[in-house]
Structures are given as structure tokens and as C-alpha cells.
């Protein structure tokens, strides 16, 4: 059973940085795609970035491309989201997700992921 636990959220002023972590257990070689999503009460869950573990390829949403970086420490089974130059509109609950099989490049919908963490709150003040 895959379990995902996010950490690293918090409150920061605009322009600041945070690094989110997603500790994963129960991962198998079939779990190839991991991703970060975010959600606010006003909006649907939004894909932020993806990581294709097989070839270690990253994908980042255009809205955050110049500010956010996704990476994985395989030895620690941990996925990261480095967020720089944060803006108030980045305020959301951030979720880690994982799924088996296939490339991550087009997996940008929540229903394409089987495994989810509980989320971590990020609040950016102006």
C-alpha cells in the first residue's frame, strides 16, 4: 500500500521560499508518476508539477514554471517541491500524488492518480 505524507508547508511573505516534502512508503517499481497538486476552497484541484521516476523527467505548470522545481531523492523515497518567489495566489493546500504506469507528461488531472497525501497548507501574505 502506497502512503504519502507531505510536510514543509507554512506561512511566508511574498517573495519568500518554501520547500515541500512528500515522504513515500510502499512504492514499487510500478509507481512511476508522482506529482504535486494544489487546491483552494474557490478552485478545483490544480496540477502543479510532475516527476516521471523511470527517466527522472520533470514537468512543471506554466503558471509556476520559473519559480517552482520538482525533484526526488530516490534513496530517501522523498519527492520535493521547491517554491521560490512565492506570491499570494500560491496560497493553497498542496497535495502529493502518485500513480502506477505510463508517462507523467499528460497526467494533469486528479482522477489520473490513485494515491494521495493528506495535504500541507501554504499561506503567502502580501
Amino acid at each position: 500500500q502506497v502512503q504519502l505524507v507531505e510536510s514543509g508547508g507554512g506561512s511566508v511573505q511574498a517573495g519568500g521560499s518554501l520547500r515541500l516534502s512528500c515522504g513515500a512508503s510502499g512504492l514499487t517499481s510500478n509507481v512511476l508518476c508522482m506529482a504535486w497538486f494544489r487546491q483552494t476552497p474557490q478552485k478545483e484541484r490544480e496540477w502543479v508539477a510532475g516527476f516521471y521516476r523511470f527517466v527522472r523527467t520533470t514537468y512543471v505548470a506554466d503558471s509556476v514554471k520559473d519559480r517552482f522545481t520538482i525533484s526526488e531523492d530516490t534513496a530517501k523515497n522523498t519527492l520535493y517541491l521547491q517554491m521560490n518567489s512565492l506570491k499570494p495566489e500560491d496560497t493553497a493546500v498542496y497535495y502529493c500524488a502518485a500513480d502506477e504506469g505510463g508517462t507523467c507528461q499528460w497526467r494533469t488531472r486528479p482522477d489520473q492518480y490513485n494515491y494521495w497525501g493528506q495535504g500541507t497548507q501554504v499561506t503567502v501574505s502580501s
Side-chain angles (χ1 to χ4, degrees):
Q1 180 74 9
V2 175
Q3 292 188 319
L4 306 173
V5 179
E6 301 96 334
S7 61
S11 297
V12 64
Q13 289 193 325
S17 298
L18 284 173
R19 188 178 76 161
L20 305 183
S21 300
C22 172
S25 60
L27 289 180
T28 68
S29 58
N30 292 329
V31 180
L32 294 177
C33 184
M34 299 189 73
W36 288 97
F37 285 77
R38 65 185 181 185
Q39 188 170 22
T40 66
Q42 297 80 23
K43 295 174 67 175
E44 294 183 348
R45 196 163 294 191
E46 173 192 26
W47 176 82
V48 176
F51 186 89
Y52 186 32
R53 302 176 73 223
F54 183 65
V55 291
R56 303 185 68 78
T57 302
T58 62
Y59 308 95
V60 183
D62 288 342
S63 59
V64 300
K65 186 168 58 177
D66 297 327
R67 301 184 293 119
F68 290 11
T69 304
I70 187 172
S71 62
E72 185 195 44
D73 185 330
T74 306
K76 296 181 179 180
N77 276 340
T78 300
L79 184 75
Y80 299 102
L81 184 69
Q82 178 67 44
M83 305 186 296
N84 298 327
S85 302
L86 283 162
K87 303 176 181 179
E89 51 263 44
D90 294 319
T91 295
V93 177
Y94 283 72
Y95 296 91
C96 177
D99 199 63
E100 294 96 342
T103 179
C104 291
Q105 186 173 5
W106 311 116
R107 292 187 173 214
T108 59
R109 302 194 318 267
D111 64 357
Q112 294 173 308
Y113 291 82
N114 279 322
Y115 307 108
W116 291 88
Q118 82 289 349
T120 186
Q121 175 71 46
V122 171
T123 303
V124 184
S125 58
S126 57

